[in-house]
Amino acid sequence: MDEAPLSEAARAGPFFALRTGTGEPREEGYARIGEAYRLTGAGAAGPVLSARVEAVAASLRTDEPRVAASLVFQGLAARVWSLALGPAALSGRVPHLRPDRLWWNPGRVAPDDLWWPGVPPIMGEPGGLAGQVGTAAFVHLMPLHHAVRRGYRVSGRLLWGNAASALTGSLRVLHDWCRERGLAEAADRAVELARAQLVHPPLRDAGTLTTEPLGYRRRTCCLYYRVPGGGLCGDCVLRDAPGRGGA
């Protein structure tokens, strides 16, 4: 096992960093992140996910749980994409952060929201670097997508739009950081790795990536405009925010 890929990527910002080292996560309020992906027998969100959604709803002062759930999904998606894309672009290696071994404390901010006690293993499955990035992310995104879609009745298409938006947001941060430091090869690799995720289902129809300049326009809306004082994100499909009575 090798901590170097994550250590190198962490320099790009907190979303690319991960807490490691030994300890007792439950004693510090962490839960295995896989617990957040589970539904109850009645098809509702489990306690880990629902607690996070309720906290985000309260923070944003929204009375619409599905809006908070959409934004929780996008925030977690940005974290798992960053933890895969950063090391892949900078070192050519991808950490294998399995949901049953990765711990999450949604009350903390990056990088301390996620904790892998010890040193994460590096993926070695076939499929090339782009395939490893996708595998590392979708092992989280697929069950999270199911939990949020079923538990909060959020459109599945909207959630995949959130996933694509989270990926391209991570890409822009990483790309700019690499360019500022003369790491042109890593910057270009990041673009190609992200593009490889966006040309296949379930992200293929989520939006359009442009490279001159680097940007993304999605085909759905994350619903942020529905929170009090909210507006439209830079990659939103909408040009003007509809009223709260809109879809």
Side-chain angles (χ1 to χ4, degrees):
M1 294 192 291
D2 184 358
E3 200 168 0
L6 277 168
S7 298
E8 186 173 6
R11 296 182 295 134
F15 263 54
F16 298 87
L18 174 71
R19 180 178 176 180
T20 58
T22 58
E24 298 295 335
R26 286 201 188 277
E27 293 181 4
E28 296 190 33
Y30 288 77
R32 293 189 190 276
I33 200 168
E35 296 176 23
Y37 307 154
R38 298 174 187 163
L39 296 171
T40 67
V48 175
L49 180 59
S50 62
R52 175 59 175 165
V53 171
E54 290 167 8
V56 169
S59 175
L60 296 175
R61 295 178 292 112
T62 179
D63 56 2
E64 296 184 87
R66 73 182 183 112
V67 174
S70 168
L71 300 176
V72 167
F73 179 94
Q74 186 151 340
L76 268 177
R79 283 294 272 135
V80 299
W81 279 125
S82 298
L83 290 171
L85 186 64
L90 290 166
S91 71
R93 291 175 287 175
V94 181
H96 188 18
L97 304 176
R98 291 169 30 186
D100 62 340
R101 297 278 309 278
L102 182 64
W103 295 80
W104 182 41
N105 185 329
R108 298 191 180 187
V109 298
D112 291 327
D113 55 336
L114 297 178
W115 183 3
W116 184 283
V119 180
I122 300 300
M123 295 192 70
E125 295 92 324
L129 193 57
Q132 293 173 18
V133 169
T135 297
F138 281 109
V139 74
H140 295 275
L141 295 178
M142 293 298 288
L144 178 62
H145 181 278
H146 177 75
V148 173
R149 180 177 62 83
R150 289 287 304 277
Y152 291 95
R153 301 295 185 265
V154 182
S155 159
R157 182 169 176 265
L158 181 155
L159 292 175
W160 287 131
N162 285 7
S165 178
L167 169 59
T168 55
S170 295
L171 170 62
R172 284 193 294 269
V173 172
L174 181 61
H175 183 270
D176 290 350
W177 184 87
C178 289
R179 287 289 182 185
E180 289 169 0
R181 286 154 183 79
L183 303 174
E185 184 176 343
D188 292 343
R189 185 182 301 116
V191 172
E192 292 310 309
L193 290 170
R195 191 197 308 276
Q197 315 308 316
L198 296 169
V199 298
H200 296 293
L203 305 186
R204 182 174 59 195
D205 299 322
T208 302
L209 179 70
T210 56
T211 56
E212 296 295 337
L214 185 62
Y216 188 73
R217 175 68 65 182
R218 59 185 289 175
R219 296 191 177 99
T220 56
C221 171
C222 70
L223 305 178
Y224 179 67
Y225 76 88
R226 297 183 67 84
V227 308
L232 299 181
C233 305
D235 62 357
C236 188
V237 67
L238 302 176
R239 299 297 181 179
D240 297 293
R244 277 179 55 85

